Amino acid sequence: MISGQIIQTSLDELRGITRIDLCVCDLEGNVTATTFAEETPDSDAIYHFVQSGADSQVMQGYYFFKILDDETPEYVLIAKGSSEDAYMIGKVAVCQIQNLLIAYRERYDESNYIQNVLLDNLLLVDIYNRAKKLRIECEARRVVYIVETKQEKDASALELVKTLFISSPGDFVVAVDEKSIILVKELQDDEEYEKAEDVAKMLLDMLNAEAMSSVRVAYGTIVNEIRYLSKSYKEAKMALDVGKIFYEEKSIIAYNTLGIGRLIYQLPIPLCEMFMNEVFEGHLPEDLDEETLTTINKFFENSLNVSETARQLFIHRNTLVYRLEKLQKSTGLDIRVFEDALTFRIALMVNAYMKYSLDQ
């Protein structure tokens, strides 16, 4: 529904140009917006006018007009005076507000439609029929972004995203829950994932700077038809979750870059528990102290290079070797050997996934 503030702005602009006072009331006579200084329209007169079959009527020195929304009375507009000028300006105001109602209804319908497509709430035939009715292109290249904010109901972040993309008719901004903003971005034929990544970076930079909000951005794969938007949305959701588990240091996560994290995320928990017991025989990675975990992660970062890892940790090479041998004794895995290193790395990721699942 259109807000009273928007109607008020329209009346103020018309009043400034024409010097004709205007008032908009709901069908019960409650004032929605007005430029009248002190006077309050007669609610009984409004009630009788609403009940009448006339679209406009002059009563008690005022012109009354019905504002229709889809051929149904939605508001009553009152123009002060009974002159031809008051009548003409009243008709102009009615036309302007009715057009605003249509525009806002269409915008709401678009948002509602996109939400239902993302959530798989529509039959295939309804997806295409409603897209045609709303003049939304069906066969366009689009990608779905999820922007997760730290605060629930972050109105400033939502409004900023809308402002950034409202001018593009093929883009849509909706909210499906309290902490997430969904952007459906249309891409040109020559725009690929490099462009998708640039849009994600722009979202991150603008929201962090302008809305003073710490956010994470995830996006799915590019789809060519509107019915596949739900697929891109599910991929973006998975990317967001996988990023929290395995790539916490990243603020932008793309579904097509998740790698082995995506595979582990889809494993059933009983299978993960079986794998952990087979690898560690009950000695799980959380039993390792912080120093050992830091050493392991740095060793992996440096592609199992002992000398470079020792240099970055500011320790002697022999000290690093001692730590790795101590780890081998406690776990049975020598991470200086590629196969054992791979097993240990996967085990750490599986353990992180299990802890995340238990916290949910």
Side-chain angles (χ1 to χ4, degrees), residues 15 50 60 65 99 111 117 123 139 158 162 192-193 197 200 211 221 226 229 289 321 330 342 344:
R15 172 66 176 81
V50 170
Q60 303 173 358
F65 303 88
N99 287 334
S111 298
V117 171
L123 296 174
E139 296 183 355
L158 178 60
K162 285 183 177 179
E192 297 296 337
Y193 286 102
E197 182 73 10
T221 55
I226 197 164
L229 283 180
D289 58 68
V321 171
S330 64
L342 180 62
F344 200 97

PDB file of all heavy atoms in Angstrom, residues 15 50 60 65 99 111 117 123 139 158 162 192-193 197 200 211 221 226 229 289 321 330 342 344:
ATOM      1  N   ARG A  15      -0.227  21.937  -4.248  1.00  0.00           N
ATOM      2  CA  ARG A  15      -0.616  23.164  -3.520  1.00  0.00           C
ATOM      3  C   ARG A  15       0.366  24.303  -3.824  1.00  0.00           C
ATOM      4  O   ARG A  15      -0.038  25.454  -4.015  1.00  0.00           O
ATOM      5  CB  ARG A  15      -0.633  22.870  -2.019  1.00  0.00           C
ATOM      6  CG  ARG A  15      -0.824  24.107  -1.127  1.00  0.00           C
ATOM      7  CD  ARG A  15      -2.209  24.720  -1.315  1.00  0.00           C
ATOM      8  NE  ARG A  15      -2.452  25.831  -0.421  1.00  0.00           N
ATOM      9  CZ  ARG A  15      -2.031  27.088  -0.591  1.00  0.00           C
ATOM     10  NH1 ARG A  15      -1.294  27.383  -1.661  1.00  0.00           N
ATOM     11  NH2 ARG A  15      -2.331  28.033   0.276  1.00  0.00           N
ATOM     12  N   VAL A  50     -19.235   8.603  -0.378  1.00  0.00           N
ATOM     13  CA  VAL A  50     -18.743   7.254  -0.694  1.00  0.00           C
ATOM     14  C   VAL A  50     -19.898   6.336  -1.054  1.00  0.00           C
ATOM     15  O   VAL A  50     -19.805   5.502  -1.970  1.00  0.00           O
ATOM     16  CB  VAL A  50     -17.934   6.676   0.493  1.00  0.00           C
ATOM     17  CG1 VAL A  50     -17.638   5.193   0.270  1.00  0.00           C
ATOM     18  CG2 VAL A  50     -16.645   7.453   0.698  1.00  0.00           C
ATOM     19  N   GLN A  60     -20.934  21.648   0.415  1.00  0.00           N
ATOM     20  CA  GLN A  60     -20.451  22.511   1.496  1.00  0.00           C
ATOM     21  C   GLN A  60     -19.228  23.341   1.091  1.00  0.00           C
ATOM     22  O   GLN A  60     -18.321  23.598   1.879  1.00  0.00           O
ATOM     23  CB  GLN A  60     -20.100  21.660   2.724  1.00  0.00           C
ATOM     24  CG  GLN A  60     -21.263  20.807   3.233  1.00  0.00           C
ATOM     25  CD  GLN A  60     -20.844  19.865   4.342  1.00  0.00           C
ATOM     26  OE1 GLN A  60     -19.680  19.806   4.734  1.00  0.00           O
ATOM     27  NE2 GLN A  60     -21.807  19.114   4.882  1.00  0.00           N
ATOM     28  N   PHE A  65     -14.009  13.969  -4.695  1.00  0.00           N
ATOM     29  CA  PHE A  65     -13.673  13.054  -5.789  1.00  0.00           C
ATOM     30  C   PHE A  65     -13.344  11.683  -5.206  1.00  0.00           C
ATOM     31  O   PHE A  65     -12.735  11.588  -4.139  1.00  0.00           O
ATOM     32  CB  PHE A  65     -12.452  13.544  -6.577  1.00  0.00           C
ATOM     33  CG  PHE A  65     -12.582  14.921  -7.148  1.00  0.00           C
ATOM     34  CD1 PHE A  65     -12.221  16.039  -6.404  1.00  0.00           C
ATOM     35  CD2 PHE A  65     -13.049  15.106  -8.445  1.00  0.00           C
ATOM     36  CE1 PHE A  65     -12.331  17.303  -6.935  1.00  0.00           C
ATOM     37  CE2 PHE A  65     -13.148  16.371  -8.987  1.00  0.00           C
ATOM     38  CZ  PHE A  65     -12.809  17.481  -8.228  1.00  0.00           C
ATOM     39  N   ASN A  99      -2.399   7.050 -10.502  1.00  0.00           N
ATOM     40  CA  ASN A  99      -1.207   6.524 -11.176  1.00  0.00           C
ATOM     41  C   ASN A  99      -0.163   6.032 -10.166  1.00  0.00           C
ATOM     42  O   ASN A  99       0.520   5.026 -10.394  1.00  0.00           O
ATOM     43  CB  ASN A  99      -0.587   7.583 -12.082  1.00  0.00           C
ATOM     44  CG  ASN A  99      -1.412   7.813 -13.339  1.00  0.00           C
ATOM     45  OD1 ASN A  99      -2.127   6.921 -13.785  1.00  0.00           O
ATOM     46  ND2 ASN A  99      -1.319   9.001 -13.906  1.00  0.00           N
ATOM     47  N   SER A 111       7.505  -7.721  -6.698  1.00  0.00           N
ATOM     48  CA  SER A 111       8.270  -8.232  -5.565  1.00  0.00           C
ATOM     49  C   SER A 111       7.682  -9.534  -5.053  1.00  0.00           C
ATOM     50  O   SER A 111       8.408 -10.492  -4.765  1.00  0.00           O
ATOM     51  CB  SER A 111       8.317  -7.186  -4.438  1.00  0.00           C
ATOM     52  OG  SER A 111       8.960  -6.012  -4.868  1.00  0.00           O
ATOM     53  N   VAL A 117       8.778 -17.027  -6.888  1.00  0.00           N
ATOM     54  CA  VAL A 117       9.635 -17.775  -7.820  1.00  0.00           C
ATOM     55  C   VAL A 117      10.878 -18.293  -7.085  1.00  0.00           C
ATOM     56  O   VAL A 117      11.263 -19.456  -7.232  1.00  0.00           O
ATOM     57  CB  VAL A 117      10.044 -16.894  -9.015  1.00  0.00           C
ATOM     58  CG1 VAL A 117      11.110 -17.600  -9.862  1.00  0.00           C
ATOM     59  CG2 VAL A 117       8.836 -16.575  -9.881  1.00  0.00           C
ATOM     60  N   LEU A 123       3.545 -22.883  -9.685  1.00  0.00           N
ATOM     61  CA  LEU A 123       3.591 -23.897 -10.735  1.00  0.00           C
ATOM     62  C   LEU A 123       4.296 -23.307 -11.950  1.00  0.00           C
ATOM     63  O   LEU A 123       4.315 -22.087 -12.152  1.00  0.00           O
ATOM     64  CB  LEU A 123       2.179 -24.340 -11.110  1.00  0.00           C
ATOM     65  CG  LEU A 123       1.366 -25.043 -10.010  1.00  0.00           C
ATOM     66  CD1 LEU A 123      -0.068 -25.273 -10.496  1.00  0.00           C
ATOM     67  CD2 LEU A 123       2.013 -26.346  -9.603  1.00  0.00           C
ATOM     68  N   GLU A 139      13.274 -15.017 -20.574  1.00  0.00           N
ATOM     69  CA  GLU A 139      14.539 -15.590 -21.026  1.00  0.00           C
ATOM     70  C   GLU A 139      15.644 -14.540 -20.971  1.00  0.00           C
ATOM     71  O   GLU A 139      16.164 -14.093 -21.991  1.00  0.00           O
ATOM     72  CB  GLU A 139      14.394 -16.163 -22.435  1.00  0.00           C
ATOM     73  CG  GLU A 139      13.415 -17.327 -22.502  1.00  0.00           C
ATOM     74  CD  GLU A 139      13.334 -17.937 -23.891  1.00  0.00           C
ATOM     75  OE1 GLU A 139      13.980 -17.374 -24.801  1.00  0.00           O
ATOM     76  OE2 GLU A 139      12.631 -18.945 -24.047  1.00  0.00           O
ATOM     77  N   LEU A 158      18.579  -2.212   3.188  1.00  0.00           N
ATOM     78  CA  LEU A 158      17.593  -2.571   2.161  1.00  0.00           C
ATOM     79  C   LEU A 158      17.317  -1.402   1.235  1.00  0.00           C
ATOM     80  O   LEU A 158      17.287  -1.557   0.004  1.00  0.00           O
ATOM     81  CB  LEU A 158      16.298  -3.040   2.828  1.00  0.00           C
ATOM     82  CG  LEU A 158      15.146  -3.421   1.896  1.00  0.00           C
ATOM     83  CD1 LEU A 158      15.544  -4.567   0.985  1.00  0.00           C
ATOM     84  CD2 LEU A 158      13.900  -3.787   2.697  1.00  0.00           C
ATOM     85  N   LYS A 162      18.068  -1.047  -2.840  1.00  0.00           N
ATOM     86  CA  LYS A 162      16.995  -0.666  -3.759  1.00  0.00           C
ATOM     87  C   LYS A 162      17.394   0.560  -4.572  1.00  0.00           C
ATOM     88  O   LYS A 162      17.147   0.628  -5.783  1.00  0.00           O
ATOM     89  CB  LYS A 162      15.707  -0.382  -2.983  1.00  0.00           C
ATOM     90  CG  LYS A 162      15.000  -1.632  -2.473  1.00  0.00           C
ATOM     91  CD  LYS A 162      13.704  -1.274  -1.770  1.00  0.00           C
ATOM     92  CE  LYS A 162      12.949  -2.518  -1.332  1.00  0.00           C
ATOM     93  NZ  LYS A 162      11.690  -2.184  -0.616  1.00  0.00           N
ATOM     94  N   GLU A 192      29.889 -12.210 -17.715  1.00  0.00           N
ATOM     95  CA  GLU A 192      30.029 -13.528 -17.096  1.00  0.00           C
ATOM     96  C   GLU A 192      30.300 -13.370 -15.601  1.00  0.00           C
ATOM     97  O   GLU A 192      29.922 -12.368 -15.004  1.00  0.00           O
ATOM     98  CB  GLU A 192      31.139 -14.311 -17.797  1.00  0.00           C
ATOM     99  CG  GLU A 192      30.860 -14.611 -19.267  1.00  0.00           C
ATOM    100  CD  GLU A 192      29.659 -15.526 -19.480  1.00  0.00           C
ATOM    101  OE1 GLU A 192      29.306 -16.271 -18.536  1.00  0.00           O
ATOM    102  OE2 GLU A 192      29.086 -15.508 -20.588  1.00  0.00           O
ATOM    103  N   TYR A 193      30.968 -14.344 -15.000  1.00  0.00           N
ATOM    104  CA  TYR A 193      31.146 -14.353 -13.546  1.00  0.00           C
ATOM    105  C   TYR A 193      32.075 -13.244 -13.053  1.00  0.00           C
ATOM    106  O   TYR A 193      32.001 -12.857 -11.885  1.00  0.00           O
ATOM    107  CB  TYR A 193      31.652 -15.725 -13.097  1.00  0.00           C
ATOM    108  CG  TYR A 193      30.558 -16.768 -13.144  1.00  0.00           C
ATOM    109  CD1 TYR A 193      30.499 -17.689 -14.185  1.00  0.00           C
ATOM    110  CD2 TYR A 193      29.561 -16.804 -12.171  1.00  0.00           C
ATOM    111  CE1 TYR A 193      29.482 -18.627 -14.246  1.00  0.00           C
ATOM    112  CE2 TYR A 193      28.543 -17.735 -12.221  1.00  0.00           C
ATOM    113  CZ  TYR A 193      28.505 -18.647 -13.266  1.00  0.00           C
ATOM    114  OH  TYR A 193      27.490 -19.557 -13.317  1.00  0.00           O
ATOM    115  N   GLU A 197      31.048 -11.002  -9.940  1.00  0.00           N
ATOM    116  CA  GLU A 197      31.937 -10.732  -8.805  1.00  0.00           C
ATOM    117  C   GLU A 197      32.077  -9.224  -8.573  1.00  0.00           C
ATOM    118  O   GLU A 197      32.094  -8.761  -7.418  1.00  0.00           O
ATOM    119  CB  GLU A 197      33.310 -11.348  -9.069  1.00  0.00           C
ATOM    120  CG  GLU A 197      34.311 -11.177  -7.945  1.00  0.00           C
ATOM    121  CD  GLU A 197      34.027 -12.050  -6.730  1.00  0.00           C
ATOM    122  OE1 GLU A 197      33.152 -12.937  -6.824  1.00  0.00           O
ATOM    123  OE2 GLU A 197      34.693 -11.843  -5.694  1.00  0.00           O
ATOM    124  N   ALA A 200      29.082  -8.023  -6.685  1.00  0.00           N
ATOM    125  CA  ALA A 200      29.190  -8.416  -5.276  1.00  0.00           C
ATOM    126  C   ALA A 200      30.129  -7.480  -4.519  1.00  0.00           C
ATOM    127  O   ALA A 200      29.838  -7.071  -3.386  1.00  0.00           O
ATOM    128  CB  ALA A 200      29.669  -9.863  -5.170  1.00  0.00           C
ATOM    129  N   ALA A 211      25.958   2.362   4.602  1.00  0.00           N
ATOM    130  CA  ALA A 211      24.994   1.928   5.621  1.00  0.00           C
ATOM    131  C   ALA A 211      25.675   1.599   6.948  1.00  0.00           C
ATOM    132  O   ALA A 211      24.993   1.282   7.921  1.00  0.00           O
ATOM    133  CB  ALA A 211      24.220   0.709   5.114  1.00  0.00           C
ATOM    134  N   THR A 221      24.791 -19.432  -9.370  1.00  0.00           N
ATOM    135  CA  THR A 221      25.246 -19.477 -10.754  1.00  0.00           C
ATOM    136  C   THR A 221      24.310 -18.660 -11.643  1.00  0.00           C
ATOM    137  O   THR A 221      23.178 -18.348 -11.270  1.00  0.00           O
ATOM    138  CB  THR A 221      25.302 -20.924 -11.267  1.00  0.00           C
ATOM    139  OG1 THR A 221      24.013 -21.537 -11.086  1.00  0.00           O
ATOM    140  CG2 THR A 221      26.327 -21.731 -10.504  1.00  0.00           C
ATOM    141  N   ILE A 226      13.753 -17.554 -16.170  1.00  0.00           N
ATOM    142  CA  ILE A 226      13.255 -17.090 -14.882  1.00  0.00           C
ATOM    143  C   ILE A 226      12.858 -18.252 -13.972  1.00  0.00           C
ATOM    144  O   ILE A 226      12.956 -18.152 -12.752  1.00  0.00           O
ATOM    145  CB  ILE A 226      12.066 -16.122 -15.091  1.00  0.00           C
ATOM    146  CG1 ILE A 226      11.825 -15.325 -13.804  1.00  0.00           C
ATOM    147  CG2 ILE A 226      10.812 -16.862 -15.563  1.00  0.00           C
ATOM    148  CD1 ILE A 226      10.968 -14.106 -13.991  1.00  0.00           C
ATOM    149  N   LEU A 229      15.490 -19.307 -11.375  1.00  0.00           N
ATOM    150  CA  LEU A 229      15.953 -18.395 -10.330  1.00  0.00           C
ATOM    151  C   LEU A 229      16.013 -19.083  -8.974  1.00  0.00           C
ATOM    152  O   LEU A 229      16.888 -18.789  -8.151  1.00  0.00           O
ATOM    153  CB  LEU A 229      15.031 -17.166 -10.241  1.00  0.00           C
ATOM    154  CG  LEU A 229      15.202 -16.088 -11.313  1.00  0.00           C
ATOM    155  CD1 LEU A 229      14.222 -14.954 -11.069  1.00  0.00           C
ATOM    156  CD2 LEU A 229      16.630 -15.561 -11.340  1.00  0.00           C
ATOM    157  N   ASP A 289      45.686 -28.346  20.691  1.00  0.00           N
ATOM    158  CA  ASP A 289      45.807 -27.002  21.260  1.00  0.00           C
ATOM    159  C   ASP A 289      45.916 -25.964  20.142  1.00  0.00           C
ATOM    160  O   ASP A 289      46.146 -26.284  18.970  1.00  0.00           O
ATOM    161  CB  ASP A 289      47.012 -26.922  22.199  1.00  0.00           C
ATOM    162  CG  ASP A 289      48.309 -27.276  21.500  1.00  0.00           C
ATOM    163  OD1 ASP A 289      48.748 -26.507  20.628  1.00  0.00           O
ATOM    164  OD2 ASP A 289      48.879 -28.351  21.804  1.00  0.00           O
ATOM    165  N   VAL A 321      59.577 -29.229  12.776  1.00  0.00           N
ATOM    166  CA  VAL A 321      59.635 -30.673  12.540  1.00  0.00           C
ATOM    167  C   VAL A 321      59.222 -31.432  13.799  1.00  0.00           C
ATOM    168  O   VAL A 321      58.485 -32.433  13.727  1.00  0.00           O
ATOM    169  CB  VAL A 321      61.047 -31.090  12.092  1.00  0.00           C
ATOM    170  CG1 VAL A 321      61.175 -32.614  12.059  1.00  0.00           C
ATOM    171  CG2 VAL A 321      61.373 -30.500  10.724  1.00  0.00           C
ATOM    172  N   SER A 330      50.352 -38.464  17.850  1.00  0.00           N
ATOM    173  CA  SER A 330      49.029 -38.390  18.497  1.00  0.00           C
ATOM    174  C   SER A 330      47.879 -38.746  17.566  1.00  0.00           C
ATOM    175  O   SER A 330      46.823 -39.191  18.015  1.00  0.00           O
ATOM    176  CB  SER A 330      48.801 -36.983  19.069  1.00  0.00           C
ATOM    177  OG  SER A 330      48.756 -36.023  18.025  1.00  0.00           O
ATOM    178  N   LEU A 342      46.204 -34.428   2.976  1.00  0.00           N
ATOM    179  CA  LEU A 342      44.870 -34.305   2.387  1.00  0.00           C
ATOM    180  C   LEU A 342      43.812 -34.872   3.327  1.00  0.00           C
ATOM    181  O   LEU A 342      42.763 -34.252   3.543  1.00  0.00           O
ATOM    182  CB  LEU A 342      44.843 -35.034   1.046  1.00  0.00           C
ATOM    183  CG  LEU A 342      43.515 -35.001   0.281  1.00  0.00           C
ATOM    184  CD1 LEU A 342      43.130 -33.572  -0.068  1.00  0.00           C
ATOM    185  CD2 LEU A 342      43.617 -35.853  -0.985  1.00  0.00           C
ATOM    186  N   PHE A 344      44.000 -35.165   6.573  1.00  0.00           N
ATOM    187  CA  PHE A 344      43.883 -34.300   7.753  1.00  0.00           C
ATOM    188  C   PHE A 344      43.107 -33.030   7.418  1.00  0.00           C
ATOM    189  O   PHE A 344      42.258 -32.584   8.208  1.00  0.00           O
ATOM    190  CB  PHE A 344      45.279 -33.938   8.268  1.00  0.00           C
ATOM    191  CG  PHE A 344      45.281 -33.480   9.698  1.00  0.00           C
ATOM    192  CD1 PHE A 344      45.589 -34.362  10.721  1.00  0.00           C
ATOM    193  CD2 PHE A 344      44.968 -32.168  10.028  1.00  0.00           C
ATOM    194  CE1 PHE A 344      45.590 -33.946  12.043  1.00  0.00           C
ATOM    195  CE2 PHE A 344      44.964 -31.750  11.345  1.00  0.00           C
ATOM    196  CZ  PHE A 344      45.272 -32.636  12.365  1.00  0.00           C
TER     197      PHE A 344
END
